[in-house]
Amino acid sequence: MQALKSEIRDGMRIDWDMPIQMDDGLILRADIFRPIHEGKFPTLLTYGPYGKGLSFQEGYKTAWEIMEKENPDVMRGTTNKYQNWEVVDPEKWVPNEYVCIRVDSRGAGRSPGFMANNNARETKDIAQCIEWAASQEWSNTKVGMNGISYFASNQWRAAAVQPPHLAAICVWEGWNDGYRESHRHGGIACTFRKNWMEMQVKTVQHGVGDRGKRNPITGDTVCGPETLSPEELIQNIENVWQKVLDQEMLTDWYVERTADLNKVTVPVLSSANWGGQGLHGRGNFEGYVRSASNQKWLEVHGGSHWAPFYTDYGIDIQKRFFDHFLKGIDNGWDKTPPISLLVRSPGEKFVQRDEHEWPLARTQWTSCFLNAGSMQLENAVPGSNSELSYEMMGDGVTFSLPVQAEEVELTGPMALKLFISSSTVDADIFAIVRVFDENNKELTFHGALDPHTPIAQGWLRASHRKLDPSKSLPYRPWHSHDEKQPLVAGEVYELDVEIWPTCIVVPKGYRIALTIRGKDYEYDGEAAVLSNMKNPMTGCGPFMHDDETDRPPAIFGGEVKILTGPNYPSNLLIPVIPKKQST
């Protein structure tokens, strides 16, 4: 049994490696940061696989350096010694009389066991950790969950099982649909999960022990205390990527890793990133709209995936939310408008605006019809039928609206209806909404991870075109992914492609365009690199779809024909937002 270490340092009482026993007897390990003085305090709990003892600065070096340079407010008011990837800095919360708990998930860091990320056992573990925290002598019995990405996505599932003492969740850039948002976009396997396991998870698996990092404060092994053989490590972790490759269609494995949003009833703050294409963005919007809570808020920002959470802006929002629901402070949060958008303009400029529903009720849903003859997007169905072809592994084809005669705002989800035929039994559609300036230079933004992200993206495998009519909306088609429907070469098929929500104010003189291709978007410029990501980032960050096992060239290297006109009204539905009338 590991000995519990408890000490007072930097104005906090810290309990290192606190044991929390699960119902199957397994002991999870947690670090607990709490006020020194006696009292009853609310708790912020996180549970995840990244090693609670691995410092942000060492584990995610380039991300830390970028944040340090671009967001100096993150560094103020803290020694930064306790910074950990994607979880709160306790030095900014404990002085406000919060307890911060970091639990190494089953099989990760200093917690033993078999690691199967996001499964039902993990959700049960989280619920039991919540109830354990609520029962401690220093607890006021109210537990909240707060964190980014993994530490956000598991909040949806934890809330759905309704542990009695979970009082509120702040889901900061967190997916909830294990199939559509995480592993298979439109049915196409996303290789992020393969690289993520190798770069971010296996490196901090329990049992790496002496071969891994050490906690810079305690000196203990991050992934200890035992050191297991490579063979033992393999036996202790689920092969996620093989599961994805083996299961193209929606199975119980994906459903187990998907939150039942109808059972999420606690107060919710869902914080999305306009640049969260490929993992988190959709989850925050869907989670806000479809969760059953009658106390829920949506906040949407831009910038990097990690930094806004730690900034004064982010922490102020989080503290007002949790002060209200975990401390019962009457701070006016209950009168906060349900939606806060940082409306995006060129030059990484953002203007905050309150709204009251999503999508916005005043949206002017506008159909832009593709014309394969002129390569234009037009405001009416073209008068005659036309068609054009592209090689799936090429750069695809681009349709453009005329140059904007006046400024226009696009905010919301989009949908693309396409009529296609393929030279093979399938086709992968990559739909990219783009904007070009007066000099025909593409406008990109700093996405959640990639600094050159396009305006919006959507994906669909043609054999997954079947829709669920009970869930589909005109602006958000919902594919059932329960029946593979191969194509007959040369025959025409109607596809509805979901394009994840976005926001852009397009200036006068700029041009909106749609590119359709059979492979991932590529930015025409220098690739970016993050130390914790395997592939250089060329516009899609780590969210690529380039595995030949899932996309054999014999099938997905063929030719696609797009058909337009009266018989084939291919069109892009965009959310035009009229200016608010002054009162």
Side-chain angles (χ1 to χ4, degrees):
M1 177 68 72
Q2 296 164 237
L4 174 67
K5 301 177 184 178
S6 185
E7 62 179 334
I8 294 175
R9 56 186 301 158
D10 296 311
M12 301 179 289
R13 164 71 67 180
I14 307 175
D15 301 320
W16 302 105
D17 270 352
M18 177 68 75
I20 306 177
Q21 184 169 333
M22 299 294 98
D23 61 357
D24 62 354
L26 186 127
I27 302 292
L28 299 177
R29 293 287 172 172
D31 292 341
I32 303 176
F33 306 83
R34 52 192 174 96
I36 297 170
H37 62 278
E38 298 294 322
K40 303 285 188 181
F41 313 107
T43 300
L44 295 178
L45 183 142
T46 53
Y47 175 109
Y50 297 144
K52 60 184 175 57
L54 179 65
S55 72
F56 193 142
Q57 296 91 322
E58 183 175 14
Y60 297 83
K61 185 175 184 293
T62 50
W64 175 264
E65 290 171 349
I66 292 169
M67 182 167 68
E68 188 176 28
K69 177 182 177 181
E70 297 180 354
N71 305 96
D73 55 325
V74 172
M75 310 299 149
R76 295 194 291 264
T78 172
T79 67
N80 291 304
K81 288 187 294 188
Y82 308 92
Q83 292 277 19
N84 201 215
W85 179 244
E86 299 186 333
V87 299
V88 301
D89 178 358
E91 288 188 275
K92 291 194 175 184
W93 287 86
V94 173
N96 293 107
E97 302 205 317
Y98 281 91
V99 176
C100 299
I101 300 181
R102 297 171 176 171
V103 185
D104 273 340
S105 61
R106 183 176 292 242
R110 295 180 69 83
S111 294
F114 181 82
M115 187 193 296
N117 301 110
N118 309 130
N119 71 345
R121 176 67 253 185
E122 180 169 292
T123 302
K124 182 182 286 189
D125 286 350
I126 298 170
Q128 292 179 16
C129 288
I130 289 168
E131 295 308 299
W132 177 90
S135 70
Q136 300 307 298
E137 61 181 4
W138 36 256
S139 172
N140 74 348
T141 75
K142 292 184 181 295
V143 180
M145 295 186 71
N146 191 17
I148 313 171
S149 190
Y150 198 102
F151 301 100
S153 66
N154 61 25
Q155 295 179 45
W156 296 118
R157 294 186 298 280
V161 300
Q162 301 181 349
H165 292 94
L166 180 61
I169 59 175
C170 174
V171 186
W172 199 280
E173 299 191 34
W175 56 273
N176 62 64
D177 191 316
Y179 187 94
R180 296 170 181 83
E181 297 157 11
S182 176
H183 296 96
R184 283 189 169 272
H185 302 133
I188 311 169
C190 178
T191 56
F192 169 70
R193 284 298 170 200
K194 175 173 62 174
N195 298 328
W196 170 77
M197 289 296 297
E198 298 299 324
M199 300 284 289
Q200 293 182 254
V201 178
K202 290 183 178 180
T203 53
V204 285
Q205 184 183 353
H206 180 83
V208 171
D210 291 331
R211 294 191 298 272
K213 306 289 187 182
R214 289 187 175 270
N215 185 318
I217 299 172
T218 67
D220 292 332
T221 50
V222 170
C223 310
E226 57 187 338
T227 301
L228 302 179
S229 69
E231 293 75 21
E232 288 174 303
L233 290 174
I234 291 172
Q235 291 299 313
N236 281 349
I237 190 168
E238 182 179 52
N239 188 336
V240 171
W241 183 241
Q242 194 60 52
K243 291 283 189 182
V244 174
L245 291 179
D246 290 344
Q247 301 174 92
E248 179 179 339
M249 309 309 292
L250 180 57
T251 64
D252 289 343
W253 187 85
Y254 296 108
V255 173
E256 182 180 343
R257 288 154 177 77
T258 298
D260 183 349
L261 294 172
N262 291 320
K263 295 180 179 178
V264 176
T265 58
V266 296
V268 174
L269 172 58
S270 181
S271 290
N273 189 326
W274 297 123
Q277 302 163 19
L279 186 56
H280 300 298
R282 182 185 190 275
N284 282 108
F285 290 102
E286 289 291 328
Y288 171 76
V289 171
R290 295 171 48 228
S291 60
S293 176
N294 58 14
Q295 295 177 295
K296 55 185 179 180
W297 289 263
L298 174 67
E299 181 274 336
V300 195
H301 53 269
S304 72
H305 172 50
W306 59 92
F309 178 81
Y310 296 97
T311 61
D312 292 346
Y313 165 83
I315 291 177
D316 176 67
I317 295 170
Q318 297 160 41
K319 284 185 176 178
R320 286 191 293 114
F321 173 73
F322 283 119
D323 280 354
H324 183 74
F325 288 109
L326 301 189
K327 294 183 176 181
I329 296 175
D330 184 9
N331 59 6
W333 179 268
D334 55 324
K335 298 179 179 62
T336 301
I339 296 176
S340 174
L341 307 181
L342 291 184
V343 178
R344 185 169 66 173
S345 293
E348 302 290 344
K349 296 176 182 176
F350 298 90
V351 175
Q352 194 277 336
R353 188 175 73 208
D354 292 332
E355 297 289 352
H356 293 275
E357 68 288 308
W358 185 265
L360 308 188
R362 66 184 184 283
T363 303
Q364 296 174 349
W365 297 104
T366 304
S367 292
C368 303
F369 291 90
L370 282 62
N371 187 329
S374 65
M375 303 299 293
Q376 296 294 306
L377 293 171
E378 301 175 352
N379 60 11
V381 179
S384 59
N385 295 323
S386 55
E387 59 186 47
L388 80 162
S389 300
Y390 65 90
E391 297 292 331
M392 281 195 223
M393 290 296 117
D395 293 329
V397 292
T398 298
F399 299 84
S400 296
L401 280 169
V403 170
Q404 288 299 128
E406 58 183 30
E407 179 182 274
V408 63
E409 177 187 335
L410 307 181
T411 297
M414 301 184 188
L416 172 64
K417 181 177 289 292
L418 273 186
F419 291 83
I420 71 153
S421 67
S422 173
S423 64
T424 72
V425 296
D426 217 334
D428 283 347
I429 301 298
F430 293 74
I432 301 101
V433 178
R434 309 166 73 183
V435 170
F436 295 86
D437 68 13
E438 308 99 316
N439 300 314
N440 207 34
K441 178 178 173 57
E442 184 174 7
L443 175 68
T444 60
F445 283 89
H446 197 305
L449 290 169
D450 197 307
H452 300 292
T453 302
I455 303 306
Q457 297 186 73
W459 310 262
L460 182 64
R461 178 158 289 173
S463 60
H464 288 239
R465 63 191 177 278
K466 180 183 174 184
L467 294 173
D468 181 340
S470 69
K471 291 185 177 180
S472 289
L473 298 165
Y475 52 80
R476 199 266 288 122
W478 188 283
H479 298 89
S480 58
H481 299 292
D482 62 357
E483 179 186 357
K484 191 173 179 69
Q485 301 176 330
L487 310 184
V488 175
E491 289 197 9
V492 178
Y493 296 90
E494 180 179 348
L495 311 181
D496 292 278
V497 184
E498 176 184 4
I499 298 176
W500 289 15
T502 189
C503 173
I504 177 63
V505 176
V506 183
K508 176 182 178 180
Y510 282 43
R511 177 171 55 88
I512 300 167
L514 167 71
T515 295
I516 301 168
R517 51 199 276 146
K519 62 178 182 177
D520 288 300
Y521 166 86
E522 295 176 22
Y523 169 71
D524 186 19
E526 185 177 354
V529 176
L530 283 177
S531 59
N532 55 300
M533 301 295 167
K534 185 174 183 178
N535 58 288
M537 294 184 290
T538 55
C540 296
F543 309 114
M544 305 292 288
H545 309 80
D546 54 2
D547 186 86
E548 288 195 0
T549 303
D550 181 66
R551 306 189 69 222
I555 295 175
F556 296 101
E559 184 177 86
V560 170
K561 183 181 295 182
I562 297 175
L563 299 93
T564 67
N567 296 340
Y568 310 106
S570 297
N571 69 90
L572 173 67
L573 184 69
I574 61 174
V576 176
I577 308 300
K579 293 185 183 299
K580 281 187 172 181
Q581 299 298 316
S582 57
T583 56

